């Protein structure tokens, strides 16, 4: 199997990592650092998901009982009073499955941070038999046990403010959080910006807001709190199930970030705010569930409508290049795959019967569900019947034959791409990254927003994450696509240009940027603003 890497190197290695790294290796190579970072992110990601699981219990979300689940599992895996240490990780795998069924599926879905689960596909007998799991993974399992027992003691419904942030600050040191890219924009600054664009009042429940560099979701959370408050009346009339469905399916609050880990954190923060309302939605409608939250991993500066190519086989299809979050080879470049997407003008037309972008989004979601299901059942192709069932879950009143015939070739192509990835890298979890990419490209390239907010990266042209392109190629790409990419510009200027492009007529943008943007002698070209003078 080819070597693969993920994550980025910290700019500076935190002092307290040194001791651990010294034990692991004589020489700290880039490869070791990448792996170390990825393990830390995995731990962080797990911790955050577990906090969410426990918070569900504390907010009395139906169908989810963290403590009860753990107690039952401990009983299940105990034998004559003995509970094997490796069982903690097995138990955790089961808990995650349970959460996926009971809560927003996409937040608990298998992604790149679940690599460890492969080592814990053990039956009860195997847990007690000779060493099936290596020494390191045994440590891992023990650590999982400690975390589970620690979380057991908290009651998140009583923690005022931001539970994830509070616990991180307690359990992870500042340097590590910084190396992992954690960045909390101060609450006062977030409120200031959101007030300045006048994101308040009843009208916001009909509007769309985007943060294209959402990090761990500080702006999204503030916007969400305001949106939910204004949605109270609507909820009295139509119920919270209707309101939450509307929030996610009509993309009222959307976040993008290039980093998979930041995206996951933003989803969890978002969900922690939604939980009390989620409970109300389930209380009113027992079958209520949300499939996904409108927060995606994507490169906000890339415009796939410009980089995609019309397919030679089919003029209705655009072949897009996608960067997966795995690095490989000497150059440690991200792996690229090609995926086919229908041209949007054809996808929303008489050929499919889809009426608008939200409907197209749901149809794509159905295609991905179907591909995932077929893939997890070891199938090589998609049946039309299964595709139709998937569409019926999301859409109503459509000509199903038309829809199925149109999307079937895309679904078949997708499953062949995932099979190939599984063969090459031993990992089918990359399908989640492909799904994110496809859905995000719709919201990024075809939807306009009433508000664009955020704290984009700054500090140089190359301060953003770099994807597959070399520094030289990246500069050329920016120069080709952005009018503001001239002279000695800074990356945040591109975010401003793209931000303005996303705005609807009369829309408002609020970013935190360096103040030299305002100075006449700054190195910022803002002539592109002339193109938007009518909006
Ligand atoms: C200063 S942080 C924003 C933090 C966020 N506002 C918060 O308070 O949590 C900048 C974010 O931009 C993201 N980023 C950098 N380049 C990006 C790109 N090309 N597309 C999308 N996000 C990007 C980084 O991963 C990082 O999370």
């Amino acid at each position: 199997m080819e070597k693969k890497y993920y994550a980025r190197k910290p700019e500076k290695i935190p002092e307290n990592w040194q001791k651990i790294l010294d034990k692991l290796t004589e020489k700290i190579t880039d490869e070791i650092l990448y792996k170390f970072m990825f393990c830390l992110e995995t731990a962080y990601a797990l911790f955050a998901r577990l906090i969410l699981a426990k918070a569900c219990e504390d907010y009395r979300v139906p169908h989810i009982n963290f403590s009860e689940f753990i107690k039952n599992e401990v009983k299940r895996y105990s034998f004559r009073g003995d509970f094997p240490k490796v069982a903690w990780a097995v138990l955790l795998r089961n808990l995650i499955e349970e959460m996926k069924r009971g809560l927003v599926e996409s937040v608990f879905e298998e992604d790149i941070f679940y690599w460890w689960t492969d080592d814990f596909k053990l039956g009860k007998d195997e847990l007690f038999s000779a060493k099936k799991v290596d020494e390191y993974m045994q440590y891992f399992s023990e650590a999982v046990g400690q975390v589970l027992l620690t979380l057991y003691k908290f009651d998140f419904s009583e923690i005022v403010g931001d539970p994830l942030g509070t616990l991180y600050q307690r359990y992870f040191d500042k340097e590590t959080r910084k190396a992992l890219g954690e960045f909390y924009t101060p609450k006062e600054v977030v409120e200031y910006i959101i007030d300045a664009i006048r994101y308040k009042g009843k009208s916001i429940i009909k509007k769309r807001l985007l943060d294209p560099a959402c990090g761990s979701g500080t702006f999204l959370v503030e916007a969400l709190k305001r949106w939910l408050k204004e949605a109270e009346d609507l909820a009295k009339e139509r119920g919270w199930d209707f309101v939450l469905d509307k929030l996610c399916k009509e993309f009222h609050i959307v976040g993008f970030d290039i980093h998979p880990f930041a995206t996951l954190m933003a989803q969890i923060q978002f969900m922690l705010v939604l939980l009390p309302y989620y409970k109300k939605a389930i209380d009113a409608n027992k079958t209520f569930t949300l499939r996904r939250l409108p927060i995606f991993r994507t490169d906000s500066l890339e415009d796939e409508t410009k980089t995609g190519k019309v397919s030679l086989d089919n003029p209705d299809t655009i072949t897009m290049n996608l960067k997966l979050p795995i690095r490989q080879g000497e150059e440690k470049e991200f792996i690229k795959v090609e995926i086919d997407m229908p041209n949007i003008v054809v996808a929303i037309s008489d050929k499919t019967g889809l009426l608008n972008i939200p409907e197209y989004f749901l149809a794509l979601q159905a295609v991905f569900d179907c591909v995932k299901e077929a893939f997890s059942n070891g199938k090589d192709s998609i049946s039309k019947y299964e595709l139709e069932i998937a569409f019926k879950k999301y859409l109503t009143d459509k000509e199903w034959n038309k829809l199925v015939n149109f999307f079937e070739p895309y679904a078949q192509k997708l499953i062949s791409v995932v099979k190939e990835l599984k063969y090459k890298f031993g990992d089918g979890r990359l399908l989640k990254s492909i799904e994110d990419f496809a859905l995000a490209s719709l919201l990024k390239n075809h939807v306009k927003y009433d508000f664009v907010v955020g704290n984009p990266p700054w500090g140089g042209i190359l301060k953003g994450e770099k994807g597959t392109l070399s520094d030289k190629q990246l500069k050329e790409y920016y120069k080709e696509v952005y009018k503001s990419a001239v002279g000695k510009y800074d990356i945040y200027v591109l975010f401003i240009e793209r931000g303005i492009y996303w705005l609807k007529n009369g829309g408002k943008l609020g970013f935190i940027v360096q103040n030299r943007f305002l100075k006449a002698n700054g190195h910022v070209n803002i002539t592109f603003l002339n193109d938007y003078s009518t909006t």
Side-chain angles (χ1 to χ4, degrees), residues 211 213 453-458 491-492 495-496 511-513:
D211 179 350
V453 287
N455 180 0
W458 54 270
I491 182 112
Y492 71 83
F495 271 87
I496 296 179
F511 276 165
I512 307 174
V513 292

Side-chain angles (χ1 to χ4, degrees), residues 148-176:
L148 286 169
L149 295 175
T150 306
L151 286 179
Y152 208 75
K153 294 183 223 145
F154 283 90
D155 182 344
F156 290 97
S157 63
E158 285 178 359
I159 294 185
V160 185
D162 163 14
L164 197 58
T166 313
L167 285 196
Y168 274 174
Q169 277 161 27
R170 186 178 300 183
Y171 289 106
F172 293 86
D173 63 282
K174 198 170 167 203
E175 273 192 313
T176 299

Side-chain angles (χ1 to χ4, degrees), residues 49-301:
R49 281 178 161 129
L50 286 175
I51 289 175
L52 183 54
K54 178 68 169 74
C56 283
E57 170 182 322
D58 299 340
Y59 282 108
R60 315 255 178 283
V61 174
H63 321 310
I64 296 168
N65 192 330
F66 178 91
S67 309
E68 208 46 41
F69 186 87
I70 291 176
K71 273 191 226 154
N72 290 337
E73 288 281 286
V74 168
K75 263 190 226 148
R76 182 150 83 105
Y77 292 119
S78 297
F79 182 69
R80 292 190 190 152
D82 188 14
F83 183 74
K85 285 174 187 148
V86 289
W88 283 115
V90 178
L91 179 161
L92 178 59
R93 264 192 59 212
N94 300 343
L95 175 68
I96 287 168
E97 272 307 307
E98 183 74 4
M99 294 299 298
K100 198 162 86 181
R101 276 193 290 274
L103 202 65
V104 181
E105 197 180 323
S106 71
V107 178
F108 285 90
E109 221 164 19
E110 290 234 314
D111 64 8
I112 50 171
F113 300 116
Y114 283 143
W115 55 271
W116 54 271
T117 56
D118 292 343
D119 281 15
F120 294 98
K121 287 190 178 134
L122 303 171
K124 185 172 172 184
D125 295 342
E126 289 169 300
L127 292 177
F128 290 94
S129 64
K131 278 194 180 172
K132 281 263 179 199
V133 175
D134 78 23
E135 195 190 347
Y136 285 111
M137 293 315 269
Q138 297 212 25
Y139 285 141
F140 169 79
S141 186
E142 273 179 70
V144 164
Q146 281 169 19
V147 172
L148 286 169
L149 295 175
T150 306
L151 286 179
Y152 208 75
K153 294 183 223 145
F154 283 90
D155 182 344
F156 290 97
S157 63
E158 285 178 359
I159 294 185
V160 185
D162 163 14
L164 197 58
T166 313
L167 285 196
Y168 274 174
Q169 277 161 27
R170 186 178 300 183
Y171 289 106
F172 293 86
D173 63 282
K174 198 170 167 203
E175 273 192 313
T176 299
R177 289 188 318 223
K178 194 163 169 241
L180 281 168
E182 186 207 73
F183 193 101
Y184 280 103
T185 308
K187 191 166 164 28
E188 301 71 35
V189 179
V190 173
E191 283 173 0
Y192 174 81
I193 299 253
I194 296 196
D195 281 341
I197 56 164
R198 285 185 235 117
Y199 186 74
K200 52 181 146 188
K202 276 275 159 294
S203 64
I204 61 171
I205 56 172
K206 295 205 179 103
K207 305 234 159 130
R208 287 194 177 124
L209 173 142
L210 167 70
D211 179 350
C214 67
S216 51
T218 329
F219 281 88
L220 298 179
V221 160
E222 177 61 27
L224 178 63
K225 288 180 181 161
R226 292 184 187 207
W227 194 91
L228 290 167
K229 187 164 165 267
E230 298 302 341
E232 299 259 350
D233 287 346
L234 182 61
K236 273 187 204 135
E237 225 178 275
R238 310 284 305 263
W240 279 106
D241 48 341
F242 173 85
V243 171
L244 298 193
D245 226 32
K246 172 177 159 63
L247 169 72
C248 296
K249 290 193 181 151
E250 293 176 16
F251 333 123
H252 287 293
I253 297 176
V254 176
F256 300 145
D257 199 285
I258 199 164
H259 207 264
F261 179 65
T263 318
L264 174 66
M265 291 303 125
Q267 291 187 355
I268 289 176
Q269 299 269 28
F270 201 86
M271 199 55 218
L272 282 167
V273 176
L274 272 190
L275 272 188
Y277 304 88
Y278 199 82
K279 171 176 162 31
K280 289 182 195 167
I282 302 185
D283 284 345
N285 169 2
K286 298 279 170 277
T287 60
F288 176 78
T289 172
L290 285 173
R291 172 70 186 79
R292 67 159 44 245
L293 302 175
I295 300 171
F296 301 88
R297 172 188 174 251
T298 187
D299 180 344
S300 291
L301 293 179

